[in-house]
Amino acid sequence: KNEVEQSPQNLTAQEGEFITINCSYSVGISALHWLQQHPGGGIVSLFMLSSGKKKHGRLIATINIQEKHSSLHITASHPRDSAVYICAAAPNYGGATNKLIFGTGTLLAVQP
Amino acid sequence: DVKVTQSSRYLVKRTGEKVFLECVQDMDHENMFWYRQDPGLGLRLIYFSYDVKMKEKGDIPEGYSVSREKKERFSLILESASTNQTSMYLCASSFEYTEAFFGQGTRLTVV
């Protein structure tokens, strides 16, 4: 069993829909990261959170430390949101080196 | 803006060649990482470095080595490239306990 699991693996939505991507982890963490990867490869960090909720534009990330679960929400989805979304856990045994454990990603396609 | 720059977007190399992948960051980060990304497997850590000349093996170091002679530059070396090293390679850097910044990736094909 992977230490970081995401669901769903693939998601197709219509433009304007509210989207949720889920991440569960089994290790103790110092932080949970959400990353975005567009076709072509480059990865961008969306959020790093250790408690509660963060919001940036139409993106919202939440985390429940007790349940070891995080969600990424996209409101009013748009075709430009189409990408792979990756959840990554920074385990609290990793120290300051910030080694991450990655989920396998969720491929999101938003259709116009 | 933080920049992590990888030397090539696409590379094609022959089996047995020695291959160098270069990564440079401009934010004075202590930590630098090399990952490979394969379909269905996600990102897997090959090596990381937490200071100049310091390195530690990640989860899949076999067939790879690294070099960090200067703080801003972290090189991944494939000593003798093999077809099972065909993959997307991603470099990243970070400070302690902060978000990681990624390069644009190098898609390596070994023929």
Side-chain angles (χ1 to χ4, degrees):
Chain A
K1 190 178 187 304
N2 293 337
E3 292 174 296
V4 178
E5 302 229 344
Q6 287 183 238
S7 63
Q9 288 189 331
N10 294 279
L11 180 57
T12 300
Q14 294 297 312
E15 184 172 356
E17 283 186 9
F18 181 85
I19 289 164
T20 296
I21 300 170
N22 294 301
C23 176
S24 296
Y25 53 91
S26 57
V27 296
I29 64 168
S30 59
L32 192 287
H33 299 247
W34 282 102
L35 310 167
Q36 181 191 57
Q37 185 176 31
H38 279 285
I43 293 177
V44 174
S45 177
L46 297 175
F47 296 103
M48 185 179 81
L49 64 166
S50 54
S51 65
K53 176 177 163 178
K54 287 191 175 181
K55 185 175 188 291
H56 186 258
R58 295 179 295 105
L59 301 178
I60 303 165
T62 63
I63 190 167
N64 185 318
I65 297 295
Q66 286 73 30
E67 294 187 3
K68 294 188 174 179
H69 182 269
S70 177
S71 293
L72 177 69
H73 305 286
I74 305 174
T75 62
S77 59
H78 189 276
R80 65 175 175 266
D81 297 325
S82 299
V84 175
Y85 292 85
I86 302 169
C87 167
N92 54 18
Y93 57 76
T97 57
N98 205 25
K99 288 195 294 183
L100 300 176
I101 304 172
F102 294 86
T104 53
T106 295
L107 176 60
L108 171 65
V110 181
Q111 296 178 342
Chain B
D1 277 354
V2 173
K3 273 198 178 167
V4 179
T5 304
Q6 294 182 226
S7 52
S8 304
R9 290 295 302 273
Y10 300 94
L11 273 181
V12 180
K13 296 292 182 180
R14 295 195 180 276
T15 301
E17 276 193 76
K18 190 168 186 175
V19 181
F20 293 85
L21 302 183
E22 306 284 346
C23 176
V24 177
Q25 51 95 3
D26 64 0
M27 277 300 289
D28 205 35
H29 286 162
E30 296 94 353
N31 300 324
M32 295 189 75
F33 309 83
W34 274 107
Y35 298 96
R36 66 177 280 177
Q37 184 180 34
D38 300 289
L41 297 177
L43 281 87
R44 294 179 291 167
L45 181 64
I46 305 171
Y47 267 97
F48 74 98
S49 169
Y50 50 91
D51 203 349
V52 175
K53 297 190 187 294
M54 306 302 288
K55 61 187 179 186
E56 283 195 22
K57 293 179 180 179
D59 300 316
I60 51 165
E62 296 78 19
Y64 304 95
S65 62
V66 290
S67 172
R68 194 167 181 197
E69 296 295 318
K70 294 185 177 182
K71 193 173 187 180
E72 67 270 18
R73 186 180 296 271
F74 191 36
S75 302
L76 179 70
I77 304 154
L78 286 66
E79 297 291 343
S80 177
S82 64
T83 54
N84 63 13
Q85 292 178 309
T86 292
S87 187
M88 169 71 88
Y89 290 87
L90 287 145
C91 173
S93 72
S94 74
F95 286 122
E96 298 178 3
Y97 301 116
T98 67
E99 64 182 311
F101 293 86
F102 287 81
Q104 76 276 29
T106 296
R107 190 167 293 281
L108 172 68
T109 302
V110 182
V111 297

